[in-house]
Amino acid sequence: MEKIAILCSGGDVSGMNPALKRFVEYAYVQGLQPYFVFDGYEGLIDNRIHEAHYHDVSGIVSRGGTKIRSARSARFKEASFRAIAAENLKKRGISKLIVLGGDGSFRGMERFHHESGIAFCGIPSTIDNDINGTDYCLGVDTALNIIKNAVDALRDTASSFRRAFVIETMGRNCGYLALVSAITSGAEMCLVPEIPIDYTEYKGCFESQIRNGRDYFIAIVSEALQNTKEVSEWFETELGFESRITLLGHVQRGGNPTVYDRLMAYKFITYAMNGLLEGRTNSVICYNKSHFNFKTIDEVALNPYRLDEELVNLGREQFAPSRCQM
Ligand code: F6P
């Protein structure tokens, strides 16, 4: 029986567990023996590789995180540890691997493939949605919905107290989570690295809004900018508006996966496994304009991710201080 393994690398996302479930079920349908590698590349090196069975994945579809855990591995960057990892797979007869992770993880896998001959397929998975070559990464929809619920709740208390809330989202260097959240929750201010804005230019407009009865402000700020304190103080000193900061933090990474992330997990795994069975050896399955397509690691990892131009334009139009509605 041919053997196939799966691992999760980097930040976990809601959608990994549905992916594991589909992986096990579809492997058996294809006559393959599925294996779990626990703790990402760390587990590959330390030999935490176990056969996976139906009962391992029952009841996990609704759970965030990943049952087989994830890790960021410094050791996997070293050839000597990659050789140990390859040996651990080979002694079990595992020749195919699916990796749920980001472009850094895929780059490591490519080296591993060239050294060991083990075939792999990457599935873009990060709440940051910052992988070049794909419009969507597994987990981003759940993260956006968690942010949406948090912002809606914060608006309730903000308006009850006449306060400004400065809300920081994750996303590392990418403003995707902040921008989409700000647009879809009707925020008054959105600060992301992709749309440089001098927020002090909002002063006149916001003062006029306050005179006209506005009783709260929602500002959504990407963690990349690290300026929540500064913005919050600006509301207090320049507008005389009491302000609070909310760092959403890791709550954005967990939670019950949305229907969309669950379905996409099933589709990604199906494409990845089919690709490996058709003889693909080192690719990433991407999603563009409603279609799945395989890309090389270079296509994905050589260029930095850029936010979709249409989204950036929408953000510019919505949040430019010059267009602020008095
Ligand atoms: O890449 C996912 C992510 O959640 C980023 O948005 C964030 O900057 C980072 O991981 C946090 O990393 P850690 O979980 O190691 O604190």
Side-chain angles (χ1 to χ4, degrees):
M1 201 177 193
E2 209 179 340
K3 296 170 179 175
I4 184 165
I6 191 165
L7 63 79
C8 302
S9 177
D12 56 286
V13 303
S14 290
M16 282 177 165
N17 275 329
L20 297 179
K21 184 171 166 64
R22 174 61 175 164
F23 167 76
V24 171
E25 292 172 352
Y26 194 48
Y28 284 119
V29 167
Q30 294 293 335
L32 306 171
Q33 174 60 56
Y35 280 80
F36 284 157
V37 180
F38 285 78
D39 306 301
Y41 294 150
E42 288 289 289
L44 212 51
I45 296 166
D46 294 335
N47 210 11
R48 292 194 285 275
I49 305 167
H50 302 286
E51 267 189 28
H53 302 280
Y54 285 123
H55 64 80
D56 293 317
V57 292
S58 75
I60 68 170
V61 78
S62 59
R63 283 169 42 197
T66 160
K67 180 166 181 160
I68 60 173
R69 299 187 297 271
S70 187
R72 295 193 174 101
S73 174
R75 290 191 296 167
F76 200 70
K77 292 184 179 137
E78 293 179 35
S80 58
F81 286 111
R82 290 198 298 273
I84 297 171
E87 198 42 45
N88 288 336
L89 288 174
K90 282 181 182 166
K91 70 185 176 210
R92 287 183 175 79
I94 300 170
S95 56
K96 295 176 174 35
L97 187 57
I98 293 179
V99 174
L100 300 166
D103 47 357
S105 308
F106 301 154
R107 185 55 91 191
M109 249 304 118
E110 188 183 38
R111 259 180 242 132
F112 183 68
H113 162 70
H114 288 304
E115 291 159 0
S116 67
I118 290 163
F120 83 96
C121 184
I123 296 181
S125 312
T126 166
I127 64 162
D128 302 343
N129 208 40
D130 63 348
I131 300 179
N132 177 55
T134 187
D135 298 341
Y136 158 87
C137 300
L138 190 62
V140 68
D141 189 59
T142 305
L144 286 171
N145 277 284
I146 287 187
I147 298 169
K148 177 205 71 173
N149 290 340
V151 176
D152 288 351
L154 289 169
R155 180 182 290 105
D156 293 344
T157 174
S159 57
S160 307
F161 259 85
R162 271 191 106 250
R163 279 175 174 164
F165 268 77
V166 181
I167 305 165
E168 184 186 275
T169 64
M170 276 191 168
R172 212 177 280 274
N173 300 316
C174 173
Y176 183 85
L177 286 178
L179 181 53
V180 174
S181 300
I183 293 171
T184 56
S185 34
E188 282 64 54
M189 187 193 284
C190 171
L191 302 177
V192 293
E194 294 83 355
I195 308 177
I197 281 177
D198 176 0
Y199 62 84
T200 63
E201 290 178 12
Y202 281 113
K203 188 163 186 261
C205 178
F206 283 3
E207 279 171 342
S208 149
Q209 290 187 0
I210 293 167
R211 279 196 299 277
N212 291 333
R214 168 168 285 289
D215 54 9
Y216 70 90
F217 288 95
I218 298 289
I220 301 191
V221 178
S222 156
E223 70 169 341
L225 298 175
Q226 293 288 303
N227 64 354
T228 48
K229 196 160 175 283
E230 194 185 291
V231 177
S232 175
E233 281 170 5
W234 179 80
F235 273 106
E236 300 220 333
T237 55
E238 295 298 317
L239 296 180
F241 218 85
E242 196 178 13
S243 174
R244 291 288 184 272
I245 297 171
T246 302
L247 307 181
L248 293 178
H250 287 79
V251 73
Q252 297 160 93
R253 282 244 294 267
N256 174 271
T258 59
V259 168
Y260 188 72
D261 276 331
R262 294 182 197 196
L263 190 59
M264 289 300 279
Y266 272 60
K267 291 184 179 178
F268 267 139
I269 288 286
T270 307
Y271 274 94
M273 209 179 286
N274 288 344
L276 286 166
L277 290 172
E278 284 156 12
R280 290 183 188 275
T281 55
N282 54 336
S283 57
V284 178
I285 180 69
C286 293
Y287 188 70
N288 302 101
K289 302 197 185 338
S290 308
H291 289 95
F292 289 89
N293 45 71
F294 289 95
K295 294 199 171 164
T296 65
I297 306 302
D298 280 352
E299 281 175 285
V300 172
L302 269 190
N303 294 308
Y305 173 79
R306 274 184 197 288
L307 265 193
D308 171 48
E309 205 45 44
E310 205 175 27
L311 190 60
V312 172
N313 288 336
L314 195 56
R316 274 202 196 101
E317 194 186 294
Q318 189 81 18
F319 298 110
S322 57
R323 289 173 178 254
C324 179
Q325 303 286 320
M326 307 263 182

